[in-house]
C-alpha cells in the first residue's frame, strides 16, 4: 500500500544550476569492506565509509554476531571475533540480506534474519538454497529465515541462477575463503545483471589477499586466509548521478570532486550516458585528484537514447527521469531484474512518470519513454531511495512536484534533501 504522507515540495530551479557537491562514500564498497574485515585474520581499517541506513544495518548485523567496530573520525577499526547467534534486521538492504547469511554459517548458533515488510517479498531462495548445497542448515525461503551456524561450513561447488541479482554471487564469494573446501560458484542462467558489482567484489577480495580463479561465469575460491587490510572507500558514484542530472535538465554546470580515475563502480557510466543525451562531460585533473564536470545542453537539447542497462540497472531511475524531459524517445532494456529491487522499479517508474503527464511504457525487460509535457503532482517513492531522487530531478523543472517520503533517501545518502536544497539555492 502506497502512503501519501510526508510530502516534500521539490524545489524548482529558477535558473541553471551551478554547483560543486562532495559525495559521501560508496555504499557497495563500504558493505563489502565490512564483510571482508569481519572475516579477516586481524584488525582492519576502513576510511571514507558511508554512514547511511544500509551501512548502519550492515554494521549492526555484524556487531550483533560479535564483530567489534570503533569509529575514530573518518576511520573505522574492525576487529573480528568469535561469531555467535543473533537477530539481524535487514531493513530493505539487499547487501545485508544476501551478504550476511554466508557469514552467519560461521556463527556458533542460530542467526535469525528479518526486515521491512517489502523485504519479505524480495527473492532470497537463490542464496539460501546455495548455502544448503554448501552444507549450511537454513530454515525458511524468504525473510524471515534462520541460518543455523555451526562455527564452520563444508563448502564445495554450487550452481545458482543469478539472473535476479549479482548480489547472490558476491555474497558467496566474499565469504568463500572461510569454507572448509572453499567455494566454486557457477551461474547457470547465462544472464548476470550488474557485472561491474562482481568486478568490484573481485577487486576488493584481491585487496584482502584472496585469490579468485574466474573463467566466464564460474568463480573458484580455495580455502585461504582473508588478510587484515586497509580499505579506502571511493565516493558513491550512483549517489552523484541525481546532482549531475540537475545540470543536464537545467542547462547548468555541476562538479563532483574526488571522482576516481579508474573504478569498478557502475555509476561511472553516467559520464557516457550524459554525453549521449547532449551534455558536455569532462574529467579533469585537480591537483593529485580528479573532478568531474557536467555542463547541460541548452533548452530543447536533451536527447533520448537507446541503452542496454543490464550492467547499470541502479542508474535506471535517474536515466528515466532524464528521459521524461528529453525531446526524443528513449528505450532502456536489460533491466527486468529491477522488478525485484526495493520496489518493482519498472512498474513504479511507469506509474509515476505517467501520473505527471509523461508517456512511459513498461516493456518485458525495460522502459520506453516518449516526449511529453509534464505537470505537477505527487510522486510516490515506494520507500525506494532512487525513486525519491528521480522525483527530485523532475521537480527541478516541473512546478508542483511533491515527493512522498523524501527521507527514504537516508538508505544510502542521509541528508539528501538538505544537499539538494543547497544546490538549488547556490
Amino acid at each position: 500500500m502506497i502512503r501519501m504522507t510526508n510530502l516534500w515540495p521539490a524545489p524548482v530551479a529558477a535558473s541553471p544550476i551551478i554547483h560543486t557537491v562532495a559525495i559521501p562514500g560508496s555504499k557497495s564498497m563500504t558493505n563489502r569492506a565490512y564483510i571482508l574485515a569481519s572475516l579477516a585474520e586481524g584488525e582492519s581499517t576502513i576510511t571514507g565509509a558511508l554512514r547511511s541506513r544500509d551501512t548502519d544495518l550492515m554494521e549492526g548485523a555484524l556487531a550483533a554476531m560479535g564483530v567489534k567496530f570503533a569509529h575514530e573520525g573518518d576511520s573505522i577499526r574492525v576487529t573480528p571475533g568469535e561469531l555467535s547467534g543473533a537477530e539481524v534486521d535487514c531493513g530493505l538492504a539487499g547487501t545485508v540480506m544476501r551478504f550476511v547469511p554466508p557469514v552467519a554459517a560461521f556463527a556458533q548458533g542460530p542467526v535469525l534474519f528479518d526486515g521491512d515488510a517489502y523485504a519479505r517479498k524480495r527473492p532470497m531462495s537463490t542464496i539460501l538454497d546455495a548455502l544448503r548445497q554448501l552444507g549450511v542448515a537454513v530454515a525458511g525461503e524468504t525473510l524471515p529465515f534462520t541460518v543455523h551456524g555451526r562455527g564452520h561450513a563444508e563448502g564445495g561447488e554450487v550452481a545458482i541462477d543469478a539472473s535476479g541479482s549479482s548480489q547472490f554471487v558476491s555474497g558467496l564469494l566474499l565469504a568463500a575463503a572461510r569454507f572448509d573446501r572453499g567455494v566454486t560458484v557457477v551461474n547457470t542462467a547465462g544472464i548476470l545483471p550488474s557485472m561491474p558489482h562482481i568486478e568490484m567484489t573481485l577487486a576488493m577480495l584481491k585487496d584482502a589477499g584472496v585469490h579468485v580463479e574466474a573463467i566466464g561465469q564460474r568463480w573458484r575460491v580455495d580455502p585461504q586466509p582473508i588478510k587484515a587490510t586497509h580499505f579506502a572507500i571511493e565516493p558513491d558514484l550512483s549517489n552523484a548521478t541525481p546532482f549531475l542530472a540537475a545540470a543536464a535538465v537545467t542547462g547548468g554546470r555541476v562538479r563532483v570532486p574526488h571522482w576516481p580515475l579508474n573504478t569498478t563502480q557502475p555509476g561511472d557510466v553516467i559520464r557516457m550516458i550524459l554525453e549521449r543525451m547532449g551534455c558536455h562531460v569532462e574529467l579533469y585533473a585537480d591537483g593529485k585528484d580528479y573532478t568531474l564536470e557536467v555542463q547541460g545542453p541548452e533548452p530543447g537539447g536533451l536527447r533520448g537514447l537507446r541503452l542496454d542497462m543490464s550492467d547499470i540497472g541502479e542508474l535506471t531511475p535517474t536515466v528515466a527521469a532524464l528521459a521524461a524531459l528529453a525531446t526524443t524517445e528513449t528505450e532502456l532494456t536489460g533491466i527486468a531484474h529491477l522488478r525485484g529491487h526495493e520496489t518493482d522499479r519498472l512498474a513504479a517508474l511507469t506509474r509515476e512518470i505517467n501520473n505527471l503527464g509523461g508517456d512511459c511504457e513498461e516493456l518485458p525487460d525495460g522502459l520506453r519513454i516518449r516526449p511529453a509535457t509534464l505537470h505537477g503532482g505527487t510522486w510516490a517513492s515506494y520507500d525506494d531511495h532512487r525513486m525519491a531522487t528521480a522525483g527530485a530531478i523532475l521537480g527541478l523543472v516541473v512546478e508542483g512536484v511533491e515527493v512522498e517520503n523524501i527521507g527514504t533517501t537516508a538508505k544510502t545518502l542521509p541528508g539528501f534533501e538538505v544537499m539538494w536544497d543547497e544546490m538549488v539555492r547556490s
Side-chain angles (χ1 to χ4, degrees), residues 228-404:
T229 189
H230 170 70
F231 295 98
I233 307 301
E234 299 170 358
D236 193 311
L237 306 189
S238 294
N239 279 342
T241 63
F243 297 92
L244 299 173
V249 302
T250 67
R253 184 176 67 250
V254 171
R255 295 187 178 101
V256 178
H258 314 302
W259 197 276
L261 183 61
N262 298 295
T263 182
T264 55
Q265 290 192 65
D268 190 46
V269 181
I270 195 65
R271 295 193 285 152
M272 174 273 290
I273 293 172
L274 290 172
E275 280 190 325
R276 287 183 56 183
M277 296 189 82
C279 299
H280 176 74
V281 180
E282 182 181 2
L283 182 63
Y284 61 88
D286 188 4
K288 295 181 179 180
D289 216 336
Y290 287 84
T291 292
L292 180 67
E293 180 179 286
V294 171
Q295 173 70 56
E298 294 294 324
L302 192 63
R303 304 186 296 266
L305 78 170
R306 296 182 184 275
L307 185 63
D308 179 349
M309 299 191 70
S310 54
D311 281 345
I312 52 173
E314 66 187 48
L315 304 187
T316 300
T318 293
V319 179
L322 289 166
L325 298 168
T327 55
T328 59
E329 182 177 291
T330 290
E331 189 171 291
L332 309 175
T333 58
I335 46 177
H337 61 283
L338 295 190
R339 293 188 173 96
H341 275 225
E342 282 83 344
T343 187
D344 179 342
R345 284 181 176 166
L346 300 187
L349 285 165
T350 300
R351 186 179 299 114
E352 298 312 309
I353 289 172
N354 291 341
N355 183 54
L356 298 186
D359 185 355
C360 182
E361 175 189 356
E362 186 174 347
L363 306 175
D365 72 336
L367 300 171
R368 181 178 292 117
I369 304 172
R370 303 177 184 88
T373 301
L374 303 185
H375 56 69
T378 299
W379 178 275
S381 70
Y382 305 82
D383 292 332
D384 182 335
H385 56 135
R386 304 218 187 276
M387 283 296 299
T389 57
I393 294 167
L394 294 173
L396 287 171
V397 293
V398 179
E399 291 190 11
V401 174
E402 293 185 305
V403 180
E404 180 255 345

Side-chain angles (χ1 to χ4, degrees), residues 89-352:
D89 177 12
C90 299
L92 266 178
T95 49
V96 177
M97 63 185 75
R98 291 159 181 168
F99 290 3
V100 180
V103 177
F106 307 110
Q108 293 284 358
V111 181
L112 171 65
F113 291 80
D114 204 352
D116 293 357
Y118 188 83
R120 296 183 175 187
K121 301 178 182 180
R122 297 190 71 174
M124 286 298 305
S125 60
T126 300
I127 191 73
L128 301 183
D129 288 344
L131 289 175
R132 293 183 181 105
Q133 291 181 56
L134 296 172
V136 181
V138 181
E141 301 299 331
T142 58
L143 289 169
F145 62 84
T146 301
V147 176
H148 292 277
R150 296 186 294 117
H152 69 94
E154 182 180 0
E157 181 169 317
V158 60
I160 65 172
D161 178 344
S163 59
S165 176
S166 66
Q167 290 176 351
F168 297 129
V169 175
S170 288
L172 293 168
L173 293 180
L174 287 167
R178 286 285 302 271
F179 283 78
D180 296 345
R181 294 170 48 207
V183 173
T184 298
V185 182
V186 181
N187 177 33
T188 61
I191 300 171
L192 184 60
S194 303
M195 190 62 192
H197 280 122
I198 301 292
E199 294 168 356
M200 177 187 293
T201 297
L202 298 179
M204 295 184 71
L205 281 164
K206 183 178 179 181
D207 290 343
V210 176
H211 173 71
V212 182
E213 181 182 296
I215 302 175
Q217 294 195 17
R218 177 188 177 94
W219 300 267
R220 175 181 173 181
V221 181
D222 290 329
Q224 57 195 285
I226 299 174
K227 297 179 181 177
T229 189
H230 170 70
F231 295 98
I233 307 301
E234 299 170 358
D236 193 311
L237 306 189
S238 294
N239 279 342
T241 63
F243 297 92
L244 299 173
V249 302
T250 67
R253 184 176 67 250
V254 171
R255 295 187 178 101
V256 178
H258 314 302
W259 197 276
L261 183 61
N262 298 295
T263 182
T264 55
Q265 290 192 65
D268 190 46
V269 181
I270 195 65
R271 295 193 285 152
M272 174 273 290
I273 293 172
L274 290 172
E275 280 190 325
R276 287 183 56 183
M277 296 189 82
C279 299
H280 176 74
V281 180
E282 182 181 2
L283 182 63
Y284 61 88
D286 188 4
K288 295 181 179 180
D289 216 336
Y290 287 84
T291 292
L292 180 67
E293 180 179 286
V294 171
Q295 173 70 56
E298 294 294 324
L302 192 63
R303 304 186 296 266
L305 78 170
R306 296 182 184 275
L307 185 63
D308 179 349
M309 299 191 70
S310 54
D311 281 345
I312 52 173
E314 66 187 48
L315 304 187
T316 300
T318 293
V319 179
L322 289 166
L325 298 168
T327 55
T328 59
E329 182 177 291
T330 290
E331 189 171 291
L332 309 175
T333 58
I335 46 177
H337 61 283
L338 295 190
R339 293 188 173 96
H341 275 225
E342 282 83 344
T343 187
D344 179 342
R345 284 181 176 166
L346 300 187
L349 285 165
T350 300
R351 186 179 299 114
E352 298 312 309

